[in-house]
Amino acid sequence: MEISTYSLIGILFVPVLIMYLVKALAPKNITSSFEGDSGLYNKIEPLRGVAASLVAISHTFFSYNLTNHGSWQPVNSKIAPISDSVANVIFSFGGGGVILFFMITGFLFCDKAIRANGVIDFKNFYIGRFFRIVPAYTFIALFILLVSFLTGYYHYNTPQEYILSIVSWLTFGLSTPMTISSHIDKYLIIAGVLWTLNVEWKFYFLYPLICQFCCRRVALFSLSFLFLMVCGLIYLKFFDGNNGGIFLSFIAGGFAAITMNCGSDGFRNLLKSNIFALIGIIICLVSLYLQFNVYSFPSLLGIFMLFLSITQGCSVFGLLNIASIKWLGGISYSLYLSHGVFLFLFNKIFLNGYGYFVPAASALSFAIVFSVISYYFVERRGITFGKLLTGRKNINKIEKQSSSEPSPDAERLSKTDS
């Protein structure tokens, strides 16, 4: 056994502990940038942090196996003192984090469309999305290219191939990046996470069409029809791999948005309870312990129940109120994109041969510090510039001046646009 029970448990706490230390030691100007009003959906941001951390933790096992066994595989009973069912739970951390990201996207943008009755300024929408995603991605992609040059760039035969390999990393996830490191194949240097960014872009491109079916009068009917159609296609084995579960994740986010806008106060208070969230967590764990795929319907149901409770404001027994988890939410996008390169560096280059925990904990620690820098100097400024271009920053200033307590719609708009 190569991974001990203590290392399995210990790695779960590393992101929160490191974020706590960073928060305690960070300069005041960085600290203040994390303490702005998170809007009506103030539990969504820390949930992003949990999702990103789950993905990063899951990839620590994949990266360890790639370095020591030559295969991009999850933890299993051969390298850790665990049963196959427990291994499936740990393996599913990454898939659960990805599902939460897709549910968040579906929720925020369906909510935006429902509130606007399907009438959206798509020019401003795409400007906002571009400056939300591209600046931070470009910064991290350039960092990854630099790491590859310094540690050993993949050998190509012609200058054109070298140029094409670099360009492939600057398409913001719209195309599959080429191998750039001589130590690791394809885009595993970034832990393979760019496939999800590609899916997000497709959702954004389809957003004008989605809005046509998210008017208040037809949103429930449209999503119900789409849900039944996807379930039917899953039953007929139409989808490859986990694509059916990915579709259901976005649809689940849409149903959560309908509940937020159309549900009664009593029903929403029931959903907001910690007990409802706990039931969702139990369903998830039981489904995974029985070795259901994380993208299967039972697991998705449990994640959806948890997510639905959080969208109503549930803190999950105070977990999402912890300051360091809120900070993890702020850096979630940068952490999601950058953790892979630090796992590569510490497993393959710096601490090769030091087992599992030390390289994994070191990689997560450096990824978090790097992500704080990326968020403060690049990501946050990109978001601000996007708001300036679309005029939303001036609108927000006027709203703050006119009222000390912004309306729910103003708070929602501020949150969903960021």
Side-chain angles (χ1 to χ4, degrees), residues 100-110 200 203-204 250:
L100 286 172
F101 278 127
F102 288 153
M103 283 188 181
I104 290 171
T105 296
F107 169 73
L108 291 177
F109 293 111
C110 286
E200 288 270 336
F203 180 86
Y204 300 150
F250 284 109

Side-chain angles (χ1 to χ4, degrees), residues 157-331:
N157 295 321
T158 65
Q160 290 84 353
E161 288 179 308
Y162 282 100
I163 294 172
L164 185 60
S165 68
I166 294 172
V167 171
S168 72
W169 279 85
L170 299 177
T171 59
F172 319 119
L174 292 173
S175 65
T176 302
M178 297 170 60
T179 300
I180 56 173
S181 172
S182 61
H183 299 284
I184 191 167
D185 291 336
K186 299 180 181 178
Y187 60 109
L188 290 180
I189 193 172
I190 200 172
V193 300
L194 290 186
W195 72 270
T196 59
L197 197 58
N198 187 286
V199 173
E200 288 270 336
W201 278 119
K202 290 175 181 176
F203 180 86
Y204 300 150
F205 292 147
L206 288 172
Y207 191 54
L209 177 62
I210 293 170
C211 287
Q212 306 311 308
F213 296 94
C214 282
C215 301
R216 288 180 182 272
R217 291 178 296 177
V218 301
L220 180 59
F221 172 79
S222 300
L223 278 174
S224 299
F225 175 79
L226 185 60
F227 170 75
L228 293 174
M229 184 179 71
V230 171
C231 286
L233 292 173
I234 292 174
Y235 177 76
L236 296 173
K237 303 185 185 305
F238 175 82
F239 293 109
D240 294 328
N242 299 319
N243 288 335
I246 292 170
F247 273 106
L248 290 179
S249 299
F250 284 109
I251 294 170
F255 277 122
I258 292 173
T259 303
M260 175 60 70
N261 286 276
C262 305
S264 65
D265 290 341
F267 180 59
R268 287 166 56 186
N269 286 333
L270 174 64
L271 298 179
K272 186 179 179 180
S273 67
N274 284 312
I275 299 301
F276 189 84
L278 181 61
I279 293 173
I281 294 172
I282 292 173
I283 291 175
C284 288
L285 294 177
V286 171
S287 300
L288 296 176
Y289 189 80
L290 296 175
Q291 300 194 45
F292 288 113
N293 186 294
V294 70
Y295 289 94
S296 67
F297 187 79
S299 301
L300 283 169
L301 175 62
I303 296 173
F304 173 62
M305 291 179 65
L306 172 64
F307 178 74
L308 189 60
S309 183
I310 291 170
T311 59
Q312 304 301 319
C314 178
S315 66
V316 192
F317 300 97
L319 177 69
L320 300 181
N321 290 331
I322 298 173
S324 52
I325 292 181
K326 291 181 179 179
W327 272 46
L328 282 171
I331 66 167

Side-chain angles (χ1 to χ4, degrees), residues 354-367:
Y354 280 77
Y356 164 73
F357 185 79
V358 173
S362 301
L364 292 180
S365 301
F366 275 81

Side-chain angles (χ1 to χ4, degrees), residues 29-65:
N29 56 336
I30 292 180
T31 302
S32 61
S33 70
F34 281 89
E35 295 178 349
D37 181 20
S38 56
L40 180 64
Y41 304 133
N42 58 3
K43 299 301 183 291
I44 292 294
E45 195 75 353
L47 181 63
R48 280 195 181 107
V50 172
S53 298
L54 287 174
V55 172
I57 289 170
S58 175
H59 285 156
T60 63
F61 303 113
F62 283 78
S63 180
Y64 171 82
N65 275 344

